[in-house]
Amino acid sequence: QVQLVESGGGLVQAGGSLRLSCAASGRTFSTYLMGWFRQTPGKEREFVAAVRWSISNTYYTDSVKGRFTVSRDSAKNTVYLQMNSLKPEDTAVYYCAATNRPSLARNDYVYWGQGTQVTVSS
């Protein structure tokens, strides 16, 4: 089992920045990828970014490339999502998730955090 706890969401104006954190505990040694997903009402949860737990390779969906940065601190068992140049369309609940597979597909992520709300005002 892996437990994930997100923090860092909030309200920010367009163009602003936020940093989300995801603290992992439990059997983290089996984790291959840590991902960030987001969801808005009436829509499916979508992939945002991911980082390999062991060697820090990163992956992004096209809409956030150049604005968001995903990173991890192995010593703290924490993954971060630095979000810059935020847009109103980034408004969503953001979830941290973990998988032991080399996959960016939502259904391959077994462990999920509780989510944190990010609201970007125009």
Side-chain angles (χ1 to χ4, degrees):
Q1 294 281 348
V2 176
Q3 293 78 42
L4 304 172
V5 178
E6 301 106 335
S7 61
L11 172 65
V12 65
Q13 288 188 335
S17 299
L18 281 174
R19 188 177 80 157
L20 306 182
S21 300
C22 174
S25 59
R27 297 172 63 88
T28 58
F29 60 85
S30 65
T31 298
Y32 188 90
L33 281 169
M34 292 290 295
W36 287 96
F37 293 77
R38 63 188 180 187
Q39 188 171 23
T40 54
K43 292 188 177 181
E44 291 190 350
R45 196 168 297 184
E46 65 172 1
F47 169 77
V48 177
V51 59
R52 277 189 65 178
W53 193 245
S54 60
I55 62 173
S56 210
N57 285 7
T58 57
Y59 310 88
Y60 300 94
T61 192
D62 286 346
S63 64
V64 307
K65 285 180 180 177
R67 300 189 299 123
F68 291 12
T69 302
V70 61
S71 61
R72 96 276 187 265
D73 184 332
S74 297
K76 296 182 178 180
N77 274 358
T78 300
V79 175
Y80 303 98
L81 184 67
Q82 177 67 43
M83 305 185 294
N84 298 329
S85 301
L86 282 161
K87 304 175 181 180
E89 51 263 43
D90 294 318
T91 295
V93 177
Y94 283 71
Y95 297 89
C96 175
T99 181
N100 59 4
R101 299 182 179 184
S103 171
L104 304 181
R106 180 186 70 245
N107 291 341
D108 286 329
Y109 285 73
V110 177
Y111 303 106
W112 292 85
Q114 80 285 0
T116 185
Q117 177 71 46
V118 171
T119 303
V120 184
S121 63
S122 58

